[in-house]
Amino acid sequence: MIRTLFSALLALIAFIVFTGCTTKAPVTGRNQLILMDPQQEMAIGHQGAKQILAKSKRSANPRYNAMLNRVGTRIAQASGQTNYRWEFHMIDDDKTPNAFVLPGGKVFVYTGILKYISSDDELAAVVAHEVGHALARHGAERMTKGQLVNMGGQILQVGLGARGVSAANTSAILQAFGMASQLGVILPYSRVQEYEADRIGLVLAAKAGYNPSAALTFWQKFIQADKSGQRQPEYFSTHPDPANRIAKIKELLPEVMPIYEQAKRNR
Ligand SMILES: [Zn+2]
């Protein structure tokens, strides 16, 4: 059984290697495995955005909307990605301190995050991070992992069935496999993707002429809110520990500040 499974997995790996599905992430150059084609990814993002907009209330605050459009347009320009249909939506929900992006460049910012934002530079830190996820196709990368886990599960099922393992045993093994894959593989953006989006975001903000050090002040406000006993902001649950994040951002600032200085001179 193990041998059948092993050769099936080898075939899968060979398929992946020879079909040339590996790409490189922008800025970091990290090798990525993405089986989904950009068209498919774009369609998923488009459909998802429609669903979210149908059930959310868009902000009617002209100042908030103007701020997001202003910052979003400049960050999207700096990304150089013209195949995406960039959209920036401000959702009226003061209780949700969050922001996210869908594949193909649909960015959503909740008004709840604005209490930690007091300048265009700080909003740019949040928007550029999300644009970084979209540019590096993190959603498609994540969905690819899901596809692989599914294929792995199917191979396992076929292997077990062929060996005449009882149905009850098969389901116990599959359950254990599913749990392991959930812990190991299928999580929301991985830590690696989060730090990568931070790094791409710093470069994009700098290129767009926004002060990248605003990412520091933004995260420091988040930490303060947490210390003062307020409900832990939602952003925490899906993002790495802000203290580690701040340390990494500090390390990268000397690299991106010259890009910012140059962009300011060109404006
Ligand atoms: Zn993120």
Side-chain angles (χ1 to χ4, degrees), residues 17 20 22 34 45 75 92 105 123 170 176 182-183 196 231:
V17 171
T22 54
I34 299 178
I75 301 282
D92 183 21
L123 181 61
T170 306
Q182 225 154 39
L183 289 176
E196 187 166 85
R231 197 169 61 90

Side-chain angles (χ1 to χ4, degrees), residues 18 30 33 51-52 56 73 85-86 102 146 150 155 166 172 176 180 197 199 201 204 234:
F18 289 112
R30 178 176 63 90
L33 175 62
Q51 280 168 11
I52 290 160
S56 330
T73 306
R85 277 175 291 168
W86 295 104
L102 294 177
N150 266 335
I155 289 168
S166 78
R199 191 164 158 199
L204 289 178
E234 196 167 312

Side-chain angles (χ1 to χ4, degrees), residues 53-80:
L53 289 173
K55 62 177 188 188
S56 330
K57 193 172 146 215
R58 268 188 258 199
S59 171
N61 183 316
R63 199 172 61 85
Y64 293 169
N65 288 329
M67 186 183 187
L68 180 58
N69 278 328
R70 187 165 69 226
V71 170
T73 306
R74 262 166 70 174
I75 301 282
Q77 243 161 30
S79 80

Side-chain angles (χ1 to χ4, degrees), residues 36-53 85 87 89 100-108 139-140 143:
M36 180 170 282
D37 74 84
Q39 245 61 42
Q40 211 179 349
E41 189 185 346
M42 221 67 89
I44 289 172
H46 182 71
Q47 201 51 38
K50 256 184 25 197
Q51 280 168 11
I52 290 160
L53 289 173
R85 277 175 291 168
E87 286 173 19
H89 301 287
F100 65 90
V101 67
L102 294 177
K106 274 86 168 110
V107 178
F108 294 82
M143 288 185 271

Side-chain angles (χ1 to χ4, degrees), residues 47-251:
Q47 201 51 38
K50 256 184 25 197
Q51 280 168 11
I52 290 160
L53 289 173
K55 62 177 188 188
S56 330
K57 193 172 146 215
R58 268 188 258 199
S59 171
N61 183 316
R63 199 172 61 85
Y64 293 169
N65 288 329
M67 186 183 187
L68 180 58
N69 278 328
R70 187 165 69 226
V71 170
T73 306
R74 262 166 70 174
I75 301 282
Q77 243 161 30
S79 80
Q81 175 53 276
T82 49
N83 291 330
Y84 284 9
R85 277 175 291 168
W86 295 104
E87 286 173 19
F88 300 90
H89 301 287
M90 182 69 76
I91 303 299
D92 183 21
D93 182 352
D94 289 343
K95 290 201 177 72
T96 305
N98 206 3
F100 65 90
V101 67
L102 294 177
K106 274 86 168 110
V107 178
F108 294 82
V109 177
Y110 288 78
T111 52
I113 209 167
L114 295 178
K115 56 177 171 286
Y116 308 103
I117 289 172
S118 47
S119 64
D120 279 19
D121 294 307
E122 283 177 346
L123 181 61
V126 170
V127 170
H129 170 90
E130 299 306 332
V131 166
H133 277 307
L135 270 192
R137 301 181 65 200
H138 286 165
E141 193 181 16
R142 203 171 38 165
M143 288 185 271
T144 295
K145 281 190 181 152
Q147 283 175 310
L148 288 181
V149 167
N150 266 335
M151 283 160 84
Q154 274 161 20
I155 289 168
L156 187 59
Q157 199 156 25
V158 168
L160 293 173
R163 294 291 293 184
V165 178
S166 78
N169 272 343
T170 306
S171 83
I173 294 170
L174 285 179
Q175 206 183 353
F177 180 78
M179 274 163 61
S181 17
Q182 225 154 39
L183 289 176
V185 190
I186 320 176
L187 286 174
Y189 290 133
S190 69
R191 217 148 270 252
V192 169
Q193 290 178 323
E194 282 305 329
Y195 286 125
E196 187 166 85
D198 272 351
R199 191 164 158 199
I200 299 171
L202 287 174
V203 172
L204 289 178
K207 274 191 185 168
Y210 292 111
N211 191 338
S213 67
L216 282 182
T217 53
F218 168 76
W219 283 109
Q220 272 151 1
K221 280 187 254 187
F222 248 82
I223 289 194
Q224 265 334 100
D226 192 43
K227 277 189 187 148
S228 63
Q230 287 176 35
R231 197 169 61 90
Q232 184 162 299
E234 196 167 312
Y235 224 47
F236 276 154
S237 58
T238 51
H239 288 72
D241 183 334
N244 295 341
R245 190 157 212 170
I246 284 176
K248 283 250 178 359
I249 292 171
K250 276 186 181 158
E251 262 173 48

Side-chain angles (χ1 to χ4, degrees), residues 7-23:
S7 45
L9 281 175
L10 270 186
L12 179 63
I13 291 163
F15 166 77
I16 289 161
V17 171
F18 289 112
T19 47
C21 302
T22 54
T23 51

